[in-house]
Amino acid sequence: MISPPSSPPQSIEELEELANQICGFTIGELAQAAGVTIPTHLKHHKGFAGQIIELYLGAEAGSKPVPDFEHLGVELKTLPVSDKGSAIESTFVCTAPLTPEPFVTFETSHLFNKLKQVLWIPLVTYKNQPWVERIVGPGHIWRPDTVEKQLLKQDWEELTEILLTGHVQDLNASLGQVLQIRPKAASSRVKKQTLDEDGKSIQVNPKGFYLRAAFTTKIIKQKFMCG
DNA sequence: TAATGATCATCT
DNA sequence: AGATGATCATTA
């Protein structure tokens, strides 16, 4: 049986090798082999699958606002996909600053820093199957191509402009072609102080950047179309 | 408190 | 069924 590595991968190649080794196993099998207690419901353990994958790929646990494999510049994302290869959920990228710093560009943004290089791990989910049966699919490193980068940049600039000008309250998830901003908090009752368009202090629900499922579906399918 | 890992629940 | 808004656990 397979077991988690004792140290983080030192190169992209090592990371890809680790990803290859867990391909084909289910989340339940990996958790069991690692001696991790398997929760009954995902509702109270939404990050469980992601954390198991982190364990097997040698990612450092933690909540730092930097890529998972900082020394490699690689961010790790698990993505639940249907048996047809479509993303089932949107993908959280990072917290959206309610008051972005002026002069930060897309290229220097926290968001792009995380999306420069992503190791996508598809988790194949069949309908009505328990989530522990999700199968680890073939992982691959993705770097946004010219078109993808331009789409991300457009959306980021549009959304950041709204934040910069204090129109946070006008934001909703329908904005953005490939990116969107949605609530990211323990509940809608959680509030954070910021300023509105007139510079008046207001309280709003914290937000995060998410990649739309249609966008991540294309990324995952590229792997199978181009090899 | 604010960042990480995300999925849940509801509405259209 | 897809999209939007709400929510859950954990760590520093």
Side-chain angles (χ1 to χ4, degrees):
Chain A
M1 193 51 186
I2 191 170
S3 61
S6 51
S7 59
Q10 292 307 302
S11 66
I12 301 269
E13 290 70 29
E14 280 185 35
L15 178 56
E16 289 176 316
E17 176 58 26
L18 290 172
N20 280 338
Q21 287 173 10
I22 57 172
C23 186
F25 289 102
T26 67
I27 292 297
E29 287 169 342
L30 293 176
Q32 189 172 42
V36 177
T37 304
I38 300 172
T40 311
H41 302 289
L42 268 198
K43 175 173 180 182
H44 298 295
H45 301 272
K46 295 181 179 180
F48 186 79
Q51 284 155 3
I52 290 295
I53 301 298
E54 281 185 343
L55 177 67
Y56 276 90
L57 296 184
E60 304 292 340
S63 54
K64 295 177 293 183
V66 296
D68 297 283
F69 301 95
E70 197 177 1
H71 55 301
L72 302 178
V74 174
E75 171 72 9
L76 171 65
K77 288 294 177 196
T78 59
L79 183 67
V81 299
S82 71
D83 51 0
K84 295 185 177 62
S86 300
I88 290 171
E89 293 280 358
S90 56
T91 301
F92 171 72
V93 181
C94 61
T95 304
L98 295 180
T99 50
E101 293 179 26
F103 312 122
V104 171
T105 63
F106 174 70
E107 278 76 10
T108 59
S109 68
H110 187 181
L111 179 116
F112 183 57
N113 190 242
K114 286 207 153 192
L115 295 182
K116 276 176 188 164
Q117 242 184 162
V118 178
L119 172 58
W120 292 100
I121 305 286
L123 300 179
V124 183
T125 307
Y126 293 89
K127 274 181 191 168
N128 305 319
Q129 290 302 118
W131 66 268
V132 283
E133 304 294 334
R134 289 182 177 186
I135 302 164
V136 178
H140 78 285
I141 303 263
W142 167 79
R143 296 170 59 89
D145 64 25
T146 311
V147 174
E148 291 166 335
K149 183 177 171 183
Q150 186 56 36
L151 286 168
L152 289 166
K153 181 173 179 171
Q154 262 178 31
D155 285 350
W156 182 88
E157 289 179 344
E158 178 189 354
L159 296 168
T160 297
E161 176 68 14
I162 293 172
L163 293 171
L164 259 178
T165 54
H167 291 85
V168 194
Q169 295 166 114
D170 299 336
L171 276 175
N172 61 66
S174 68
L175 269 42
Q177 303 174 67
V178 298
L179 207 58
Q180 62 183 169
I181 286 185
R182 302 220 305 278
K184 174 64 174 175
S187 85
S188 57
R189 297 182 296 279
V190 174
K191 300 293 182 186
K192 197 184 174 192
Q193 189 271 329
T194 186
L195 301 175
D196 70 7
E197 67 271 29
D198 299 320
K200 195 179 72 182
S201 179
I202 52 171
Q203 303 289 119
V204 299
N205 195 218
K207 317 265 182 231
F209 282 110
Y210 294 78
L211 295 175
R212 293 182 180 278
F215 186 63
T216 52
T217 293
K218 283 187 185 172
I219 293 171
I220 288 296
K221 288 190 172 173
Q222 278 174 15
K223 168 72 177 176
F224 300 104
M225 297 193 300
C226 311

